[in-house]
Amino acid sequence: MKKSILILLIAGLCFSCQQEKKSAPTAEPLSVAQKIANAHGFEHWNKVSELQFTFGKNRSWIWKPKSNDVTLMTSKDTISYNRASIDSLSQKADRAFINDKFWLLIPFQLIWDEGITISEPIKTKAPVSKTEMNKITLTYSNEGGYTPGDAYDLFYGTDYIIKEWAFRKGNNPEAGLVNTFENYQDFNGLKLALDHKKGDADWSLPLSNVKVTLD
């Protein structure tokens, strides 16, 4: 009798486990945007308390993303403001901040930005290297923001690391700017490109003095 009860208990436990497995929700596959962001270390962003960087040679930034306090430092001035209360004096600085941050953190903007559409990936030749890569197009809404309607073609490898991009103002068919993403370095888990070049053209945009502080 005891043996029969034990067998019934084991059978019931197995049935219960099978039911739990069947009812467990299936994780949705990651989007291309999420895969690109994760490849650049997005899972570490929630620990970032401060980001410092210099855009080109003239503008240096300190950003505290948790409070959204921003400080701009140039050779002529220092401006501090909070992005929750932008006025006529800080708007010009904020416009520059959005631009400069976009160059450094474009993989994360794919997740952060609202009012955008992201195309399905295709394989095509990248504009600078002429090698075959994956491409998605990021297009901004015609309303709101500092650059409504603009589009970016992002070219990335099988590792989901961005290698090149093409900027198309107002979603113009012709790109106004095409350049590379090079010299990737790791900053407390964030994988960021510090150099951008136009291929054969004598042009480059460096991002330097990068410092990522974690909680």
Side-chain angles (χ1 to χ4, degrees), residues 39-113:
H40 293 80
F42 186 64
E43 68 273 17
H44 299 286
W45 181 259
N46 62 356
K47 302 175 185 176
V48 175
S49 60
E50 184 176 282
L51 170 65
Q52 299 181 31
F53 69 100
T54 298
F55 179 85
K57 298 179 180 179
N58 302 318
R59 294 196 295 256
S60 294
W61 299 95
I62 299 175
W63 178 33
K64 297 181 179 181
K66 295 185 185 299
S67 62
N68 242 340
D69 290 316
V70 178
T71 298
L72 165 63
M73 295 163 289
T74 68
S75 59
K76 298 179 179 180
D77 205 358
T78 296
I79 300 172
S80 296
Y81 66 99
N82 187 280
R83 298 207 66 239
S85 55
I86 297 172
D87 56 24
S88 58
L89 296 176
S90 58
Q91 187 175 51
K92 184 177 179 181
D94 191 61
R95 184 185 291 269
F97 172 67
I98 292 300
N99 175 81
D100 298 359
K101 174 172 68 76
F102 196 85
W103 281 82
L104 184 67
L105 301 177
I106 175 61
F108 304 158
Q109 301 294 156
L110 294 172
I111 302 297
W112 290 335
D113 288 352

Side-chain angles (χ1 to χ4, degrees), residues 129-168:
S129 65
K130 308 301 181 185
T131 59
E132 186 176 75
M133 295 187 193
N134 299 298
K135 183 188 87 168
I136 59 171
T137 296
L138 166 66
T139 307
Y140 283 83
S141 168
N142 290 320
E143 298 180 2
Y146 291 130
T147 55
D150 288 348
Y152 296 81
D153 300 318
L154 305 178
F155 301 85
Y156 59 96
T158 55
D159 55 0
Y160 291 94
I161 297 296
I162 296 174
K163 304 293 196 303
E164 302 178 21
W165 76 0
F167 166 65
R168 295 184 289 111

